[in-house]
Amino acid sequence: MKMGVVGGAGLLGSTSAFLAGLKGYLEEIKLIDVKENLAKCHVLDMGQAIYGSSGTKVTYGEYKDLADCGIILITASIPERKVADRLEYLYDNMKLVKPICEQIRENCPNQAVIINATNPVDIFNYIIWKVLGWDRKKILGFNGNDTYRLKWAVSKVTGKPFKDIEGFCIGEHGNGQINLYDQITCCGEPLALSNDEITAVENMTSNFFAEFQSLDSGRTSGWCSSVNIEPLIEAIATDSGKVLECSSVLDGEYGYGGVSFGIPVSVGKDGIISYEMPPLSDTQKAKLDSVSENIKNTLAKVGF
Protein backbone atom coordinates (compact mmCIF):
# COMPACT_ATOMS: atom_id res chain seq x y z
CA MET A 1 0.00 0.00 0.00
CA LYS A 2 1.14 3.56 -0.76
CA MET A 3 0.59 6.60 1.47
CA GLY A 4 0.48 10.30 0.65
CA VAL A 5 1.23 12.88 3.34
CA VAL A 6 -0.30 16.32 2.81
CA GLY A 7 1.83 18.56 4.99
CA GLY A 8 4.80 16.23 4.57
CA ALA A 9 7.39 18.95 5.18
CA GLY A 10 6.10 19.71 8.68
CA LEU A 11 7.17 18.14 11.96
CA LEU A 12 4.09 15.94 12.34
CA GLY A 13 3.86 14.81 8.73
CA SER A 14 7.55 14.06 8.26
CA THR A 15 7.98 12.32 11.62
CA SER A 16 4.92 10.11 11.06
CA ALA A 17 6.22 9.27 7.59
CA PHE A 18 9.65 8.42 8.97
CA LEU A 19 8.30 6.09 11.66
CA ALA A 20 6.04 4.30 9.18
CA GLY A 21 8.80 4.12 6.57
CA LEU A 22 11.25 2.68 9.06
CA LYS A 23 8.98 -0.34 9.65
CA GLY A 24 8.75 -1.15 5.96
CA TYR A 25 5.10 -2.18 5.62
CA LEU A 26 4.36 0.55 3.04
CA GLU A 27 5.43 0.31 -0.58
CA GLU A 28 5.87 4.06 -0.98
CA ILE A 29 5.40 7.29 0.97
CA LYS A 30 4.77 10.49 -1.01
CA LEU A 31 5.44 13.81 0.73
CA ILE A 32 3.31 16.73 -0.47
CA ASP A 33 3.77 20.27 0.78
CA VAL A 34 3.72 23.87 -0.42
CA LYS A 35 7.28 24.04 0.95
CA GLU A 36 8.62 22.00 -1.96
CA ASN A 37 12.30 22.43 -1.13
CA LEU A 38 11.85 21.23 2.46
CA ALA A 39 9.69 18.28 1.40
CA LYS A 40 12.35 17.26 -1.16
CA CYS A 41 15.02 17.66 1.52
CA HIS A 42 13.07 15.23 3.73
CA VAL A 43 12.78 12.81 0.80
CA LEU A 44 16.56 12.70 0.36
CA ASP A 45 17.33 12.50 4.07
CA MET A 46 14.56 10.07 5.00
CA GLY A 47 15.18 7.84 2.02
CA GLN A 48 18.79 7.38 3.11
CA ALA A 49 17.91 6.98 6.78
CA ILE A 50 15.53 4.06 6.26
CA TYR A 51 17.38 2.40 3.37
CA GLY A 52 19.32 0.03 5.60
CA SER A 53 16.26 -1.40 7.34
CA SER A 54 13.27 -0.88 5.05
CA GLY A 55 12.20 -1.30 1.45
CA THR A 56 9.75 1.61 1.60
CA LYS A 57 10.40 4.20 -1.11
CA VAL A 58 10.11 7.90 -0.14
CA THR A 59 9.26 10.37 -2.90
CA TYR A 60 8.12 13.93 -3.43
CA GLY A 61 4.62 14.19 -4.84
CA GLU A 62 1.88 16.49 -6.04
CA TYR A 63 -1.86 16.00 -5.62
CA LYS A 64 -2.09 14.14 -8.92
CA ASP A 65 0.27 11.52 -7.47
CA LEU A 66 -2.24 10.55 -4.77
CA ALA A 67 -4.37 8.53 -7.21
CA ASP A 68 -2.77 5.20 -6.30
CA CYS A 69 -2.46 5.83 -2.55
CA GLY A 70 -4.49 3.71 -0.14
CA ILE A 71 -3.85 6.10 2.76
CA ILE A 72 -3.74 9.89 2.82
CA LEU A 73 -2.46 11.52 6.00
CA ILE A 74 -3.46 15.18 6.38
CA THR A 75 -1.23 17.12 8.77
CA ALA A 76 -1.31 20.52 7.05
CA SER A 77 -1.92 23.41 9.44
CA ILE A 78 -1.23 27.05 9.99
CA PRO A 79 1.98 27.73 11.93
CA GLU A 80 1.73 26.91 15.63
CA ARG A 81 1.10 29.82 17.95
CA LYS A 82 0.10 30.34 21.56
CA VAL A 83 -3.62 29.54 21.93
CA ALA A 84 -5.88 28.76 24.87
CA ASP A 85 -7.93 26.21 22.94
CA ARG A 86 -7.44 24.13 19.78
CA LEU A 87 -10.66 25.66 18.44
CA GLU A 88 -8.73 28.89 17.86
CA TYR A 89 -7.18 27.17 14.85
CA LEU A 90 -10.58 26.51 13.28
CA TYR A 91 -11.13 29.51 11.01
CA ASP A 92 -7.52 29.77 9.86
CA ASN A 93 -7.18 26.05 9.14
CA MET A 94 -10.50 26.06 7.30
CA LYS A 95 -8.74 28.02 4.54
CA LEU A 96 -6.34 25.09 4.15
CA VAL A 97 -8.56 22.05 4.71
CA LYS A 98 -11.33 22.74 2.21
CA PRO A 99 -8.96 23.30 -0.77
CA ILE A 100 -6.98 20.21 0.24
CA CYS A 101 -10.16 18.14 0.25
CA GLU A 102 -11.15 19.47 -3.14
CA GLN A 103 -7.75 18.45 -4.54
CA ILE A 104 -8.01 15.00 -2.97
CA ARG A 105 -11.52 14.47 -4.30
CA GLU A 106 -10.41 15.48 -7.79
CA ASN A 107 -7.34 13.27 -7.84
CA CYS A 108 -8.38 10.20 -5.82
CA PRO A 109 -11.34 8.44 -7.45
CA ASN A 110 -10.72 5.25 -5.47
CA GLN A 111 -11.45 6.80 -2.07
CA ALA A 112 -8.31 6.30 0.01
CA VAL A 113 -8.55 6.04 3.77
CA ILE A 114 -8.05 9.52 5.23
CA ILE A 115 -6.21 10.11 8.50
CA ASN A 116 -6.86 13.67 9.60
CA ALA A 117 -4.55 15.29 12.15
CA THR A 118 -5.44 18.95 11.57
CA ASN A 119 -6.89 20.73 14.61
CA PRO A 120 -9.56 20.97 15.78
CA VAL A 121 -9.57 17.32 14.75
CA ASP A 122 -13.20 16.40 15.45
CA ILE A 123 -14.59 19.44 13.65
CA PHE A 124 -12.38 18.94 10.62
CA ASN A 125 -13.01 15.21 10.52
CA TYR A 126 -16.70 15.90 9.98
CA ILE A 127 -15.99 18.71 7.49
CA ILE A 128 -13.61 16.50 5.49
CA TRP A 129 -16.30 13.83 5.25
CA LYS A 130 -18.88 16.36 4.08
CA VAL A 131 -16.59 17.98 1.51
CA LEU A 132 -15.29 14.69 0.12
CA GLY A 133 -18.63 12.92 0.12
CA TRP A 134 -16.88 9.58 0.71
CA ASP A 135 -17.80 6.60 2.86
CA ARG A 136 -17.69 7.94 6.42
CA LYS A 137 -15.83 4.85 7.63
CA LYS A 138 -12.84 5.93 5.53
CA ILE A 139 -12.44 9.22 7.42
CA LEU A 140 -10.42 8.79 10.63
CA GLY A 141 -9.51 11.66 12.92
CA PHE A 142 -6.37 11.30 15.00
CA ASN A 143 -7.31 11.45 18.71
CA GLY A 144 -4.84 8.83 19.88
CA ASN A 145 -2.82 11.20 22.05
CA ASP A 146 -5.74 11.53 24.47
CA THR A 147 -5.80 7.79 25.18
CA TYR A 148 -1.99 7.66 25.26
CA ARG A 149 -1.79 10.51 27.79
CA LEU A 150 -4.46 8.87 29.95
CA LYS A 151 -2.34 5.71 30.15
CA TRP A 152 0.82 7.80 30.66
CA ALA A 153 -0.76 9.70 33.56
CA VAL A 154 -2.18 6.54 35.16
CA SER A 155 1.26 4.94 34.95
CA LYS A 156 2.94 7.99 36.51
CA VAL A 157 0.38 8.25 39.31
CA THR A 158 0.12 4.55 40.20
CA GLY A 159 3.65 3.43 39.41
CA LYS A 160 2.29 0.64 37.19
CA PRO A 161 4.24 -0.05 33.95
CA PHE A 162 2.79 1.80 30.97
CA LYS A 163 2.88 -1.35 28.84
CA ASP A 164 0.56 -3.16 31.27
CA ILE A 165 -2.14 -0.49 31.29
CA GLU A 166 -5.09 -0.52 28.90
CA GLY A 167 -7.90 2.00 28.69
CA PHE A 168 -9.48 4.63 26.52
CA CYS A 169 -10.26 8.31 26.45
CA ILE A 170 -13.30 9.24 24.36
CA GLY A 171 -15.01 12.44 23.25
CA GLU A 172 -13.50 15.62 21.86
CA HIS A 173 -9.80 16.09 21.26
CA GLY A 174 -9.32 19.03 23.59
CA ASN A 175 -11.53 20.35 26.35
CA GLY A 176 -14.14 17.64 25.85
CA GLN A 177 -12.01 14.57 26.47
CA ILE A 178 -13.52 11.95 28.79
CA ASN A 179 -11.21 9.55 30.61
CA LEU A 180 -12.92 6.19 31.10
CA TYR A 181 -11.66 5.35 34.57
CA ASP A 182 -14.16 2.54 35.15
CA GLN A 183 -12.73 0.59 32.22
CA ILE A 184 -8.97 0.86 32.92
CA THR A 185 -7.10 -2.42 33.34
CA CYS A 186 -3.58 -3.45 34.32
CA CYS A 187 -2.34 -6.82 33.05
CA GLY A 188 -5.90 -7.53 31.99
CA GLU A 189 -7.36 -7.00 35.46
CA PRO A 190 -9.54 -4.00 36.49
CA LEU A 191 -7.45 -1.17 37.96
CA ALA A 192 -9.43 0.78 40.55
CA LEU A 193 -8.04 4.28 41.10
CA SER A 194 -8.67 6.19 44.31
CA ASN A 195 -10.33 9.59 44.20
CA ASP A 196 -6.97 11.24 44.83
CA GLU A 197 -5.38 9.27 41.99
CA ILE A 198 -8.20 10.22 39.62
CA THR A 199 -7.78 13.87 40.57
CA ALA A 200 -4.06 13.65 39.87
CA VAL A 201 -4.64 11.99 36.49
CA GLU A 202 -7.29 14.58 35.58
CA ASN A 203 -4.89 17.40 36.42
CA MET A 204 -2.09 15.86 34.36
CA THR A 205 -4.21 15.19 31.28
CA SER A 206 -6.27 18.38 31.34
CA ASN A 207 -3.37 20.72 32.07
CA PHE A 208 -0.93 19.30 29.56
CA PHE A 209 -2.04 21.43 26.60
CA ALA A 210 -2.00 24.66 28.61
CA GLU A 211 1.49 23.89 29.93
CA PHE A 212 2.74 23.03 26.45
CA GLN A 213 1.26 26.19 24.96
CA SER A 214 2.64 28.39 27.74
CA LEU A 215 6.13 27.68 26.41
CA ASP A 216 5.16 29.53 23.22
CA SER A 217 7.68 27.48 21.24
CA GLY A 218 5.85 27.59 17.91
CA ARG A 219 6.06 23.80 17.89
CA THR A 220 3.39 21.13 17.97
CA SER A 221 3.69 17.88 19.98
CA GLY A 222 5.15 16.20 16.92
CA TRP A 223 6.99 13.26 18.43
CA CYS A 224 4.23 12.10 20.76
CA SER A 225 1.60 12.57 18.07
CA SER A 226 3.66 10.74 15.46
CA VAL A 227 4.33 7.83 17.80
CA ASN A 228 0.55 7.42 18.03
CA ILE A 229 -0.28 8.14 14.38
CA GLU A 230 2.08 5.41 13.17
CA PRO A 231 0.07 2.51 14.71
CA LEU A 232 -3.01 3.86 12.94
CA ILE A 233 -1.14 3.86 9.62
CA GLU A 234 0.07 0.32 10.30
CA ALA A 235 -3.43 -0.94 11.20
CA ILE A 236 -4.73 0.30 7.83
CA ALA A 237 -1.76 -0.87 5.76
CA THR A 238 -1.70 -4.35 7.30
CA ASP A 239 -5.50 -4.70 7.70
CA SER A 240 -4.89 -5.70 11.30
CA GLY A 241 -8.25 -4.84 12.87
CA LYS A 242 -6.46 -3.27 15.84
CA VAL A 243 -8.70 -1.26 18.17
CA LEU A 244 -7.60 2.38 18.43
CA GLU A 245 -9.19 5.65 19.47
CA CYS A 246 -10.22 7.64 16.40
CA SER A 247 -12.54 10.53 15.74
CA SER A 248 -15.32 8.81 13.83
CA VAL A 249 -18.28 10.23 11.92
CA LEU A 250 -21.36 8.68 13.54
CA ASP A 251 -24.73 7.96 11.98
CA GLY A 252 -26.84 6.38 14.69
CA GLU A 253 -24.10 4.46 16.51
CA TYR A 254 -24.71 4.68 20.28
CA GLY A 255 -27.53 7.15 19.59
CA TYR A 256 -25.31 9.81 18.01
CA GLY A 257 -25.41 11.28 14.51
CA GLY A 258 -24.28 14.33 12.56
CA VAL A 259 -21.09 14.53 14.58
CA SER A 260 -17.55 13.15 14.83
CA PHE A 261 -15.67 12.46 18.06
CA GLY A 262 -13.20 10.02 19.51
CA ILE A 263 -14.25 6.44 20.26
CA PRO A 264 -12.48 3.07 20.10
CA VAL A 265 -12.82 1.50 16.66
CA SER A 266 -11.37 -1.53 14.92
CA VAL A 267 -9.27 -0.37 11.96
CA GLY A 268 -8.36 -2.13 8.71
CA LYS A 269 -7.53 -1.49 5.04
CA ASP A 270 -10.90 0.16 4.34
CA GLY A 271 -10.95 2.28 7.47
CA ILE A 272 -13.34 1.51 10.32
CA ILE A 273 -14.29 -2.15 10.56
CA SER A 274 -16.41 -1.90 13.70
CA TYR A 275 -17.24 0.43 16.58
CA GLU A 276 -15.91 -0.79 19.93
CA MET A 277 -17.27 1.60 22.56
CA PRO A 278 -17.30 -0.04 26.01
CA PRO A 279 -20.44 0.26 28.16
CA LEU A 280 -20.60 3.74 29.69
CA SER A 281 -21.82 4.79 33.10
CA ASP A 282 -24.66 7.30 33.32
CA THR A 283 -22.14 10.03 34.18
CA GLN A 284 -19.90 9.19 31.24
CA LYS A 285 -22.87 9.07 28.88
CA ALA A 286 -24.09 12.47 30.09
CA LYS A 287 -20.64 13.95 29.49
CA LEU A 288 -20.53 12.48 26.00
CA ASP A 289 -24.00 13.88 25.25
CA SER A 290 -22.71 17.33 26.19
CA VAL A 291 -19.58 16.92 24.07
CA SER A 292 -21.69 15.87 21.09
CA GLU A 293 -23.91 18.95 21.37
CA ASN A 294 -20.93 21.27 21.72
CA ILE A 295 -19.31 19.88 18.58
CA LYS A 296 -22.59 20.15 16.68
CA ASN A 297 -22.94 23.77 17.76
CA THR A 298 -19.44 24.57 16.52
CA LEU A 299 -20.13 22.85 13.20
CA ALA A 300 -23.29 24.89 12.79
CA LYS A 301 -21.31 28.10 13.31
CA VAL A 302 -19.12 27.27 10.31
CA GLY A 303 -22.00 26.15 8.10
CA PHE A 304 -21.91 22.39 8.65
Side-chain angles (χ1 to χ4, degrees):
M1 185 178 287
K2 298 180 181 181
M3 179 175 73
V5 184
V6 180
L11 173 65
L12 185 53
S14 61
T15 308
S16 299
F18 176 71
L19 292 174
L22 200 60
K23 286 193 171 182
Y25 51 75
L26 291 168
E27 177 186 349
E28 183 178 357
I29 299 173
K30 305 178 184 186
L31 304 184
I32 298 171
D33 203 290
V34 293
K35 296 179 180 177
E36 181 178 339
N37 64 329
L38 183 53
K40 288 181 175 179
C41 177
H42 286 327
V43 166
L44 293 173
D45 191 15
M46 197 181 303
Q48 282 188 344
I50 69 174
Y51 189 80
S53 56
S54 168
T56 299
K57 182 166 63 173
V58 184
T59 61
Y60 174 76
E62 300 176 356
Y63 283 105
K64 62 181 176 60
D65 300 310
L66 293 176
D68 61 349
C69 290
I71 304 170
I72 299 173
L73 171 61
I74 302 174
T75 61
S77 178
I78 59 168
E80 290 289 320
R81 66 179 190 274
K82 190 174 182 180
V83 298
D85 191 309
R86 291 177 178 89
L87 282 174
E88 292 187 39
Y89 292 119
L90 175 55
Y91 293 100
D92 288 340
N93 278 339
M94 185 80 79
K95 300 171 186 175
L96 298 178
V97 170
K98 290 184 73 175
I100 287 171
C101 288
E102 289 163 359
Q103 288 280 3
I104 291 173
R105 185 178 59 196
E106 179 181 338
N107 289 283
C108 303
N110 296 325
Q111 295 194 12
V113 177
I114 302 292
I115 302 174
N116 165 50
T118 300
N119 278 315
V121 165
D122 304 286
I123 302 298
F124 279 123
N125 211 56
Y126 189 86
I127 290 172
I128 288 169
W129 170 62
K130 294 294 283 187
V131 174
L132 287 178
W134 291 3
D135 181 347
R136 63 191 173 93
K137 293 183 179 181
K138 289 181 175 286
I139 315 299
L140 304 177
F142 171 66
N143 290 39
N145 275 1
D146 298 327
T147 286
Y148 182 91
R149 288 180 181 132
L150 168 62
K151 294 162 65 176
W152 161 77
V154 169
S155 175
K156 298 280 271 187
V157 168
T158 65
K160 305 288 186 184
F162 178 93
K163 65 180 178 61
D164 294 337
I165 296 170
E166 295 297 337
F168 282 99
C169 175
I170 63 172
E172 183 182 15
H173 181 53
N175 295 334
Q177 61 189 38
I178 304 167
N179 294 326
L180 300 184
Y181 295 107
D182 296 346
Q183 294 85 353
I184 294 174
T185 64
C186 181
C187 297
E189 297 296 324
L191 179 62
L193 274 63
S194 69
N195 289 336
D196 286 345
E197 287 173 330
I198 289 175
T199 297
V201 171
E202 283 290 304
N203 287 337
M204 290 176 70
T205 55
S206 62
N207 294 336
F208 173 83
F209 184 70
E211 182 179 354
F212 194 90
Q213 286 290 299
S214 70
L215 298 173
D216 198 16
S217 66
R219 182 187 182 278
T220 187
S221 56
W223 296 331
C224 185
S225 296
S226 298
V227 161
N228 287 290
I229 286 175
E230 187 277 324
L232 183 51
I233 298 170
E234 184 173 16
I236 298 166
T238 62
D239 197 26
S240 71
K242 186 173 183 177
V243 177
L244 299 161
E245 182 202 353
C246 297
S247 189
S248 310
V249 178
L250 301 178
D251 184 23
E253 289 82 13
Y254 312 107
Y256 299 102
V259 69
S260 184
F261 53 68
I263 62 171
V265 294
S266 173
V267 178
K269 62 182 175 60
D270 295 316
I272 295 173
I273 298 171
S274 60
Y275 303 91
E276 302 291 338
M277 181 91 85
L280 302 180
S281 68
D282 290 344
T283 299
Q284 291 167 343
K285 181 66 166 60
K287 288 181 179 178
L288 192 56
D289 289 346
S290 178
V291 165
S292 177
E293 288 305 308
N294 288 339
I295 294 174
K296 285 183 178 180
N297 290 338
T298 302
L299 286 166
K301 290 177 182 178
V302 292
F304 288 87

